[in-house]
Amino acid sequence: MYAEAVGDIIARHPEPDGQVAAILEDIQKKYRHLPEEALHIVAEKLGLPLPQLYGVATFYTGFSLSPKGEHVVCVCHGTTCHVKGAKLLSEHLEKEFGVKAGQTTADGAFTLEVVRCLGCCSLAPVVSVDGKTYGGVKRGQVPELLADWKGGR
Amino acid sequence: MYMTINGTSVPIRGETTVLEVAKREGIWIPTLCHHPGLAPYGACRLCTVEVTAGGKPGLTASCTLPVMDGLVVLTDSPRVLEVRKMLVQLLLAGAPEAPAVRELAGRLGVNKALFPLVAAGDQFPGCILCGLCVRVCENIGVGAIGFAFRGSSRKVTPPFGKPAAACAGCQACANVCPTGAVKFRRSEGRLLGEPWQADLMMANCASCGQPTVPEPLVEYANRKAGSPVGEHLCPSCRRHKAAEGMV
Amino acid sequence: MATEAVGLKNLEQQGLRTLYPGKTKISVGMATCGRAAGAEAVYRLFQEEIAGRNLDIALNATGCLGFCQQEPLVLVQSPGGPRFVYGRVDQKLVLQVLEGLVNGNLPDDSLLIRVYEDDVLVTGEKIILTEHPAEASMLAQIPFYGSQVKVATRNCGYIDPASIAEYAARGGYRALQQALRLKPDQIIAEVAGSGLRGRGGGGFPTGEKWAFTRKAHGQTKYVICNADEGDPGAYMDRSILEGDPHSVLEGMVIGGYAVGARTGIIYVRAEYPLAVTTIQEAIRQAEQHGFLGANILDSGFDFHIKVVKGQGAFVCGEETALISAIEGRMGDPRPRPPFPAEQGLWGKPTCVNNVETWVNVPPIVMLGSQWFTAMGTASSKGTKVFSLVGDIQNNGLVEVPMGTTLRRIVYEIGGGTGYFDLKAVQTGGPSGGCIPAEIIDIPVDYEALARVGTIMGSGGMVVMDERTCMVDVARFFLGFTNDESCGKCLPCREGTRQMLDILNRVCAGEAEMQDLTLLEQLAGAVRDTSLCGLGQTAPSPVLSTLKYFRDEYEAHIRDHFCPAGVCPDLFQLTIDPEACQGCTRCAKVCPQGAISGAKGEKFSLDQGKCTRCRACIGVCRHWAVKVVPREVQP
């Protein structure tokens, strides 16, 4: 099931520098996670020990072994955002979604995550959804934003 | 070339690290993640010593400290003893039952645990994450286990937490484990590797028919040798055969 | 040689034509901060209106001018006039600006500064936009820009980052041209002579690092740009990558030539998608024009740059962990020695430098080491870009000469902390310590900061006012380092866990005084035995806050009280009837409706409804909302 797609991805990254991370990133983008079988294929094709790939897959926060939701909602917990109420905002979103940070809603629509710093400190607290940054997010705005996000991009 | 350890000038005779020189001189420096057959890893930090002259002053791990002409090192300075005890305290919080840890604590005069026990989490009991099992498995060329996850969640595991499919049953991991957390045992003609959920068929002795050696290990040996290694005999039968050959 | 010189000249001319197009030009700040503030909508509206009204106006995107607080920033330039810089631009202002352009009367609303001339640092040229009084240089009109000296950020906000021509028009790639005519050792000598030190935090003399790499044995060498900027609150590197990508490339090619490397790698966080695409596009353009690739500018020197993305691990900002990551492994740091300059990527000599370090190279080559050493202090030469964030009026990125006092940065450039008093400034992110308000006159350089128990780090400066609990700050940072620890070495992995545990207990009112002693001892051990910089500096926030704010820790432990009113279990709020003026502001802002009272009368707070969010404290101007110990133990 994964052999062809993974093969294509590997073919797109022939150079050794950063090859593993780039290949895994493409697989993560395509399947919204790193399927076990896909990692087996990468190990075999690149001649790398499977434990090494498993280590990489579990070390970096950008990779996930279980499927992420259609939309990834990242709440910034950098220093400034922390001071400006990121924790309360996160807790509020956890209630809204019914999941804890790091988890995905049952319908697979949203994954709620915490990220360490998006570098938009003057707009704290900051939330990034599918790569789009929202600044100065107040709890009162959440319902409206949720509708925005559910509406899709 | 000479260096000074604990006030005594000692020659450097081809060693590359301060730990090696100390060992040669019979100076005790505690280690847990060190193995003479493997490249230094620098994870347990127990071998920390104090450099006072001839190099960057301060504390550093002696297993990765290159020898240098004129280097002056103290292996038991008050500061070194202080941090060493703290490191053992951290070990006690994670693996209080491990004999190696208890022995070290005893030797350093650490009698009372200062930290609450750390919840085992996903780690198997007794593992101190020294990495010896992983390193030796990689070194031997099997690579059935590895590190996964990060920070406090870090653990040693076969990929995906599933039974170690690549395990050859050589038991080098159990052999090098300083806490005995890695255990293999025989059970009804099979070899079971505890933390890796390895379950291996044993090949039988060509002479007495007893289970002798894990099958994957035979395959590994054949692969390394390039051709079948020949009939396998259990140690007892092998001795008999050798003895017969001498008569 | 002649052919490539003409190429660069043509490119410069091309760039000048778009920088100064002889008609009105509008630039919108479209870096990440700008976009997060709504710059895309502003840009689109300009686009639609310009087309709809058939106006002959050039519109383009530009990088970060540093005044992030004021995003979206828009620059309006008409021939013969100054460049108007507007801040906090919204739909209404877009329309006003366009009206103003048509009727010759640009709005004064939200006008930050007028720029009368452009200084081109690397060529020394001055382009006068319009006659003006001598004192009215851009950098002197408002305190935010006063005292700033733009070296690393020289082009950010001036050029369209997608235009290599505009980069060339501001002297770009001339340093490369010059460098390729020199011998590598001459370049290394110039960089060494400049006193440039690693801007990523290590502060290691760059010239020395280059010399080591050059001296190292081997045909294959690498230069790496460390763009894994992970300190929360620091985003200087991202700004430079998004605003002036070619300056990074130019610095790296010069560095590669100097140390003898043919491959450069930019390791940039995947969390910076705009920076990634911007730098990738710049690489394509540079290759197209012969500044990268084979036989650069006919010199016989080949150099290629590729981008590798960091997939999410703060520890990969540490150079050996970064190298592990590029090699396809977990980001585990490696013991040093051997240093990467001897044995780095794939075992080859590798020179790793931070983004800001690389962009300082072209000006040093063009203007000479003495120009650089004229700025800064005895030990710390040149300038530094800081991200000034937190409880500060003027939030943003500032570049100042080393040695500028913290007082000047916070009060002059930053405009002070507003209504609440300054408590401390955190520098160096999770690896640094705090500077209490009492020693605010400290000059900012590597050594002075180290002497007071902190570091410069990558340049993050988080300003904290009196509403901050320093114990909570230490806990926040320990939470971060514990989470980001790679887990390889015992002291960092277990030590940060135990330190965090103690801090959690302190903040919950469950700690004893002996825990403080243990915390300090443990912190020292982690600092002195950890394998890499992450573990070695993780205890810094703890040790620093213990040094300057020990009384706060003791209040948490002895009195079960958080004086700053942050740790939820250790305080409650009350309205002091003597101070309350009945202005109603607190009641209006309370999200729980916990405050009640009639205007002009004393207000009161219902503990049952209060969630201690402190919104009331934020608006009270009579010091009537007081932080007091909890009456009921949790």
Side-chain angles (χ1 to χ4, degrees):
Chain A
M1 178 183 154
Y2 297 103
E4 202 185 318
V6 173
D8 283 342
I9 290 172
I10 292 176
R12 285 207 289 271
H13 300 282
E15 308 207 16
D17 299 321
Q19 181 189 38
V20 169
I23 290 170
L24 294 188
E25 189 189 4
D26 281 353
I27 296 175
Q28 171 82 34
K29 271 208 191 90
K30 189 174 172 71
Y31 298 106
R32 296 219 294 263
H33 71 297
L34 297 176
E36 188 179 327
E37 199 190 313
L39 290 182
H40 277 272
I41 297 171
V42 175
E44 203 190 301
K45 294 226 176 195
L46 294 184
L48 290 174
L50 189 61
Q52 180 182 332
L53 289 182
Y54 184 65
V56 170
T58 53
F59 187 88
Y60 300 95
T61 51
F63 297 137
S64 174
L65 293 175
S66 53
K68 291 210 183 182
E70 258 179 79
H71 309 288
V72 182
V73 177
C74 295
V75 183
C76 181
H77 276 236
T79 322
T80 317
C81 289
H82 170 81
V83 166
K84 299 261 189 246
K87 208 157 132 205
L88 285 170
L89 182 61
S90 265
E91 283 165 10
H92 188 76
L93 284 167
E94 282 180 336
K95 277 207 199 83
E96 282 292 324
F97 286 127
V99 294
K100 292 251 158 240
Q103 296 176 335
T104 303
T105 55
D107 61 0
F110 292 102
T111 297
L112 181 62
E113 284 181 353
V114 158
V115 74
R116 280 308 176 167
C117 184
L118 293 166
C120 296
C121 313
S122 52
L123 302 160
V126 174
V127 176
S128 162
V129 182
D130 302 330
K132 187 159 183 233
T133 319
Y134 297 81
V137 178
K138 298 196 174 33
R139 271 179 292 172
Q141 290 174 284
V142 169
E144 191 192 309
L145 288 170
L146 275 179
D148 226 15
W149 301 335
K150 279 196 177 116
R153 295 169 21 93
Chain B
M1 290 214 295
Y2 284 82
M3 64 172 291
T4 310
I5 303 186
N6 299 339
T8 309
S9 178
V10 297
I12 297 168
R13 293 197 192 110
E15 293 87 4
T16 43
T17 68
V18 168
L19 180 65
E20 287 171 337
V21 176
K23 277 189 179 234
R24 188 200 73 210
E25 293 292 314
I27 297 170
W28 178 69
I29 298 180
T31 62
L32 266 182
C33 74
H34 175 78
H35 191 284
L38 295 169
Y41 191 51
C44 73
R45 317 307 288 175
L46 281 168
C47 67
T48 296
V49 296
E50 186 169 353
V51 174
T52 54
K56 184 168 165 217
L59 301 183
T60 190
S62 56
C63 66
T64 48
L65 178 59
V67 291
M68 273 195 297
D69 192 26
L71 189 64
V72 180
V73 157
L74 295 172
T75 68
D76 286 312
S77 71
R79 184 65 188 141
V80 167
L81 291 175
E82 245 186 297
V83 301
R84 209 176 266 167
K85 284 189 189 159
M86 192 58 78
L87 290 174
V88 170
Q89 286 287 358
L90 291 174
L91 282 169
L92 279 172
E97 303 304 316
V101 173
R102 294 170 85 90
E103 202 189 297
L104 202 46
R107 193 157 174 180
L108 292 172
V110 172
N111 302 314
K112 192 179 127 201
L114 292 176
F115 298 113
L117 279 181
V118 170
D122 269 333
Q123 206 92 279
F124 49 94
C127 178
I128 54 168
L129 290 168
C130 67
L132 280 167
C133 55
V134 174
R135 287 147 62 205
V136 79
C137 190
E138 270 175 17
N139 189 273
I140 279 180
V142 172
I145 53 174
F147 280 112
F149 301 95
R150 191 175 75 201
S152 301
S153 308
R154 189 175 178 104
K155 58 194 227 183
V156 179
T157 175
F160 303 98
K162 296 195 166 158
C167 179
C170 69
Q171 301 185 58
C173 51
N175 193 273
V176 298
C177 177
T179 63
V182 180
K183 295 186 269 272
F184 275 76
R185 63 188 175 87
R186 300 271 203 99
S187 175
E188 293 158 15
R190 303 183 75 87
L191 181 67
L192 307 173
E194 280 302 284
W196 323 135
Q197 298 173 73
D199 184 347
L200 311 171
M201 276 288 286
M202 298 287 278
N204 296 333
C205 172
S207 174
C208 68
Q210 288 300 310
T212 306
V213 61
E215 295 219 346
L217 193 54
V218 175
E219 285 159 31
Y220 169 84
N222 291 344
R223 243 190 354 258
K224 282 270 169 172
S227 60
V229 172
E231 65 176 3
H232 20 274
L233 303 169
C234 71
S236 178
C237 297
R238 192 178 294 283
R239 276 196 293 275
H240 279 293
K241 186 161 181 189
E244 281 163 19
M246 286 181 214
V247 174
Chain C
M1 236 4 154
T3 345
E4 44 80 4
V6 167
L8 187 52
K9 208 96 204 81
N10 274 347
L11 208 54
E12 284 175 28
Q13 292 305 317
Q14 200 185 311
L16 284 170
R17 280 197 293 276
T18 59
L19 277 177
Y20 309 101
K23 63 181 180 183
T24 299
K25 177 171 114 157
I26 295 177
S27 302
V28 180
M30 293 280 274
T32 299
C33 272
R35 286 176 197 239
E40 281 166 299
V42 166
Y43 190 91
R44 265 198 307 272
L45 187 58
F46 269 121
Q47 233 174 2
E48 282 160 17
E49 291 293 317
I50 289 171
R53 300 182 199 199
N54 235 326
L55 299 168
D56 189 18
I57 294 178
L59 176 68
N60 75 349
T62 188
C64 173
L65 254 181
F67 211 161
C68 309
Q69 186 96 15
Q70 299 289 331
E71 294 280 7
L73 284 163
V74 170
L75 297 80
V76 183
Q77 178 183 311
S78 293
R83 186 181 303 124
F84 290 77
V85 181
Y86 289 96
R88 300 238 170 101
V89 177
D90 55 12
Q91 299 225 1
K92 190 167 134 221
L93 193 57
V94 169
L95 299 172
Q96 281 179 328
V97 163
L98 290 173
E99 287 297 326
L101 283 169
V102 165
N103 66 30
N105 222 346
L106 281 170
D108 267 330
D109 273 351
S110 302
L111 179 63
L112 290 176
I113 50 175
R114 291 179 177 79
V115 182
Y116 296 99
E117 65 186 34
D118 286 336
D119 288 308
V120 183
L121 181 71
V122 291
T123 60
E125 284 169 75
K126 228 189 244 297
I127 297 177
I128 311 276
L129 297 177
T130 186
E131 287 309 310
H132 61 279
E135 330 71 58
S137 74
M138 161 186 167
L139 295 184
Q141 283 176 48
I142 53 175
F144 183 75
Y145 287 116
S147 310
Q148 286 206 45
V149 174
K150 288 180 163 295
V151 174
T153 56
R154 59 190 175 274
N155 291 325
C156 295
Y158 287 86
I159 62 171
D160 178 349
S163 169
I164 188 174
E166 290 192 3
Y167 180 67
R170 285 185 55 86
Y173 289 116
R174 283 208 211 174
L176 175 59
Q177 198 178 47
Q178 181 147 315
L180 291 174
R181 292 182 192 133
L182 298 170
K183 290 207 175 57
D185 285 328
Q186 287 174 289
I187 300 171
I188 294 179
E190 201 69 45
V191 172
S194 74
L196 175 65
R197 293 168 67 171
R199 294 288 191 256
F204 191 83
T206 308
E208 256 182 71
K209 193 181 261 195
W210 286 22
F212 283 137
T213 316
R214 175 152 193 83
K215 225 174 44 188
H217 295 300
Q219 286 282 9
T220 306
K221 298 185 185 178
Y222 296 94
V223 296
I224 292 179
C225 173
N226 185 345
D228 193 62
E229 184 176 58
D231 282 4
Y235 54 100
M236 304 69 69
D237 294 347
R238 186 194 70 201
S239 228
I240 291 172
L241 287 166
E242 291 174 353
D244 192 11
H246 286 280
S247 65
V248 179
L249 303 181
E250 189 177 4
M252 287 176 75
V253 185
I254 295 173
Y257 176 69
V259 305
R262 282 191 298 278
T263 306
I265 295 173
I266 299 177
Y267 185 84
V268 53
R269 298 170 80 198
E271 294 98 318
Y272 282 172
L274 184 59
V276 170
T277 48
T278 308
I279 199 74
Q280 282 173 332
E281 176 59 21
I283 290 172
R284 266 192 291 274
Q285 292 178 357
E287 285 171 343
Q288 221 176 8
H289 287 88
F291 302 114
L292 279 177
N295 193 18
I296 295 173
L297 298 180
D298 256 332
S299 64
F301 175 60
D302 303 341
F303 192 76
H304 292 87
I305 295 181
K306 46 182 126 163
V307 173
V308 172
K309 289 193 265 184
Q311 297 299 334
F314 171 77
V315 68
C316 289
E318 197 278 339
E319 61 182 7
T320 62
L322 190 158
I323 286 170
S324 293
I326 296 179
E327 291 179 355
R329 299 183 168 280
M330 295 161 81
D332 287 353
R334 297 168 184 175
R336 298 180 303 174
F339 290 88
E342 275 173 63
Q343 233 179 286
L345 182 62
W346 307 116
K348 312 290 185 205
T350 304
C351 179
V352 182
N353 277 130
N354 172 265
V355 170
E356 197 182 329
T357 311
W358 287 119
V359 307
N360 269 292
V361 171
I364 288 173
V365 166
M366 284 298 283
L367 305 173
S369 55
Q370 292 195 329
W371 156 79
F372 199 74
T373 59
M375 299 182 287
T377 64
S379 68
S380 313
K381 299 297 181 189
T383 61
K384 180 78 189 79
V385 184
F386 293 101
S387 65
L388 192 58
V389 297
D391 299 322
I392 189 86
Q393 299 286 87
N394 300 332
N395 233 298
L397 298 178
V398 307
E399 186 172 2
V400 292
M402 292 276 199
T404 304
T405 63
L406 191 55
R407 178 185 292 282
R408 179 166 243 180
I409 295 173
V410 171
Y411 288 106
E412 223 179 85
I413 298 175
T417 52
Y419 188 71
F420 296 95
D421 287 340
L422 175 72
K423 186 162 185 178
V425 177
Q426 167 77 12
T427 65
S431 308
C434 61
I435 301 172
E438 294 76 55
I439 53 175
I440 193 85
D441 288 296
I442 189 173
V444 177
D445 83 1
Y446 291 104
E447 272 62 47
L449 292 182
R451 267 196 298 271
V452 298
T454 183
I455 58 169
M456 183 155 337
S458 63
M461 262 189 192
V462 184
V463 181
M464 300 170 175
D465 70 29
E466 57 191 304
R467 294 170 295 173
T468 311
C469 171
M470 299 314 285
V471 186
D472 179 65
V473 167
R475 178 172 65 146
F476 171 80
F477 282 125
L478 250 303
F480 178 84
T481 40
N482 175 251
D483 191 45
E484 295 289 343
S485 167
C486 76
K488 174 173 173 177
C489 80
L490 177 73
C492 178
R493 184 186 69 241
E494 300 303 327
T496 58
R497 188 211 299 249
Q498 297 292 354
M499 279 196 281
L500 180 60
D501 183 62
I502 294 176
L503 286 167
N504 279 332
R505 284 189 291 116
V506 173
C507 291
E510 290 165 7
E512 320 245 331
M513 282 307 288
Q514 65 212 38
D515 288 319
L516 215 55
T517 314
L518 181 58
L519 178 64
E520 237 169 342
Q521 287 173 343
L522 177 57
V526 173
R527 177 197 58 208
D528 293 345
T529 60
S530 288
L531 169 58
C532 84
L534 189 153
Q536 289 157 6
T537 59
S540 298
V542 173
L543 290 169
S544 174
T545 50
L546 272 172
K547 175 176 169 155
Y548 293 113
F549 297 98
R550 198 182 192 92
D551 53 333
E552 246 180 290
Y553 279 86
E554 292 184 355
H556 280 68
I557 295 172
R558 288 208 172 102
D559 310 325
H560 295 164
F561 178 46
C562 173
V566 171
C567 303
D569 296 330
L570 303 187
F571 79 99
Q572 62 188 42
L573 297 170
T574 189
I575 296 178
D576 178 0
E578 308 232 325
C580 178
Q581 304 291 316
C583 73
T584 79
R585 296 182 76 186
C586 57
K588 288 205 176 107
V589 83
C590 176
Q592 307 297 125
I595 302 178
S596 53
K599 186 165 174 153
E601 315 259 310
K602 307 296 173 189
F603 274 61
S604 66
L605 193 147
D606 180 351
Q607 293 302 335
K609 293 194 178 142
C610 176
T611 56
R612 278 161 279 143
C613 73
R614 311 182 323 155
C616 48
I617 292 185
V619 298
C620 178
R621 290 296 175 262
H622 303 104
W623 301 102
V625 184
K626 300 270 195 283
V627 172
V628 296
R630 286 293 284 269
E631 272 165 13
V632 179
Q633 284 305 310

